[in-house]
Structure formats: structure tokens, C-alpha cells
């Protein structure tokens, strides 16, 4: 049975502003009367909390395969415990990262995208997936200034290449994130309202 709600996810490189954009989008949708909820990956569940700690140890991280398995396990919980129940209640679910993060980040380690997709077969397909595209050099500078655990510039470039390929294949809607926050937020909102108008 098709869920009543709508599922949107926001993707992009670390430091691209996607968390701010996700929060703004949810606030602006609520102001327009939509029952919107914000979720995130790694999720707030047990595996997600473990993954957050695991990711802090940047230098000791395991293979792409281990990471893909852990993120897929966390996603299974996220889908079962948060996304599907909210969709069944007719909500607009906005997720800060989803399966495209595994394709981009673990795919950038050289893993087959087909294998990552098979691993994530349980993940419900979003109705709209947005990629906020910011220049890897810009995000690397921002993360350095914040002293965040971060990928090096070359890794960020590889991750961006996968996202761009997915956008070119029509799986993600690319929005230029190299602009002031409000301009990006307006485009994100316009894309979502266009979709919700159609879906409604
Ligand atoms: P965050 O910075 O958005 O909280 O994401 C945490 C990190 O986890 C970020 O570097 C991207 C990474 N990640 C993956 O590598 N694969 C995934 O499937 C997800 C959801 C996140």
C-alpha cells in the first residue's frame, strides 16, 4: 500500500550547509501548513549513535565495506522506526542524508554502486532527492575553519563526482549551493512545493 505522506531527502558534501537547509525547509513547510518532520542519518537510533562515535575517529575508520554495512543497518532502523510510521501518518518527512550518501561516500572508496544499492534494497525510495552542490574546495575550507573531522580535498572531489553522476542520471535534483544561504533555501523550497503541489 502506498504511504500517504511524502519523503524528501537532502544530500551533499560535509560542510555544504545541508543541515541548515534541511531545518529551514522543515520550518518553512510547517509555516505553510504542512505536517513536516526532520530526520537525519546517521539516525538517532542505537546504530546511528554508534556510527556518530565511530566517525569521530577519522583516522581509524574501517573499510568502505564495513562502513556501507553499518550505514545500511542504521538505515534499516531509520526506515522502519521513523520514516515509514511518519509517512503512514501522512507527514512530509525531510531527511538530512539518505541512501545517496552511501552511494557517494562509500562509492567513492571504489565499491560497486550496484552492490551498495542491493545492500539498501530495504530503503524506501524518496519522492524527491535534492543534492546541494558546493565546490569541494569551499567545504574543505569551511571544515578546516571549524576544526571538524573531515575528508581531504581529493576525497571530497571523488564524493562530489558520484553525486554529480547521480544528478545527471536524474536520481538527484542538483541545486547550486555556491550562493547565499537564502537563495539556496528559496530554490530548495520551490522544488519541494512544486513536487508537493503535483503530488497533492
Ligand atoms: P553528517 O556530517 O551529515 O552528520 O554525516 C556524517 C558523515 O557520515 C559524513 O561524513 C558522511 C558520512 N556518511 C557516509 O559516509 N555514508 C552514509 O551512508 C551516511 C548516511 C553518511
Amino acid at each position: 500500500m502506498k504511504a500517504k505522506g511524502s519523503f524528501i531527502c537532502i544530500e551533499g558534501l560535509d560542510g555544504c550547509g545541508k543541515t541548515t537547509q534541511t531545518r529551514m525547509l522543515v520550518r518553512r513547510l510547517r509555516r505553510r501548513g504542512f505536517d513536516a518532520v526532520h530526520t537525519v542519518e546517521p539516525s538517532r537510533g542505537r546504530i546511528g549513535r554508534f556510527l556518530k562515535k565511530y566517525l569521530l575517529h577519522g583516522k581509524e575508520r574501517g573499510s568502505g565495506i564495513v562502513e556501507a554495512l553499518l550505514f545500511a543497518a542504521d538505515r534499516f532502523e531509520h526506515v522502519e522506526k521513523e520514516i515509514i510510521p511518519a509517512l503512514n501518518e501522512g507527514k512530509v518527512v525531510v531527511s538530512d542524508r539518505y541512501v545517496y550518501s552511501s552511494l557517494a561516500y562509500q562509492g567513492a572508496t571504489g565499491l560497486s554502486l550496484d552492490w551498495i544499492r542491493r545492500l539498501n534494497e530495504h530503503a524506501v525510495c524518496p519522492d524527491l532527492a535534492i543534492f546541494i552542490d558546493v565546490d569541494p574546495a569551499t567545504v574543505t575550507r569551511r571544515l578546516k575553519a571549524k576544526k571538524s573531522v573531515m575528508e581531504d580535498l581529493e576525497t571530497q572531489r571523488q564524493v562530489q563526482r558520484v553525486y554529480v553522476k547521480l544528478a545527471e542520471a536524474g536520481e538527484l535534483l542538483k541545486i547550486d549551493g555556491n550562493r547565499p544561504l537564502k537563495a539556496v533555501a528559496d530554490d530548495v523550497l520551490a522544488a519541494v512545493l512544486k513536487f508537493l503541489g503535483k503530488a497533492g
Side-chain angles (χ1 to χ4, degrees), residues 14 18 41-42 52 55 61 67 71 75 96-98 101-102 105-106 151:
D14 289 327
K18 121 199 104 39
E41 289 192 4
K52 278 276 187 200
L55 291 168
R61 277 166 66 174
E67 293 194 2
F71 282 113
R75 189 160 297 123
D96 176 349
R97 294 199 180 283
Y98 193 55
S101 288
S102 286
Y105 282 83
Q106 281 64 60
E151 314 287 358

Side-chain angles (χ1 to χ4, degrees), residues 139-197:
V139 297
T140 304
R141 254 196 322 276
R142 282 184 196 160
L143 294 173
K144 224 179 225 167
K146 282 203 314 194
K147 296 196 168 47
S148 287
V149 175
M150 53 171 227
E151 314 287 358
D152 59 47
L153 179 57
E154 189 41 40
T155 306
Q156 298 270 25
R157 286 209 172 104
Q158 281 164 357
V159 174
Q160 186 206 28
R161 275 198 281 274
V162 185
Y163 273 133
V164 168
K165 247 197 238 161
L166 294 172
E168 284 168 359
E171 289 190 63
L172 293 168
L173 174 72
K174 187 169 93 160
I175 289 185
D176 179 8
N178 302 291
R179 295 174 298 151
L181 190 109
K182 168 88 169 49
V184 179
D186 286 349
D187 280 3
V188 170
L189 181 67
V192 170
L193 289 178
K194 188 169 163 209
F195 165 74
L196 290 174

Side-chain angles (χ1 to χ4, degrees), residues 15-32:
C16 76
K18 121 199 104 39
T19 301
T20 308
Q21 291 295 342
T22 305
R23 293 211 171 103
M24 276 177 82
L25 174 63
V26 168
R27 265 202 312 275
R28 295 173 101 186
L29 287 174
R30 284 183 184 154
R31 257 188 250 134
R32 282 166 176 76

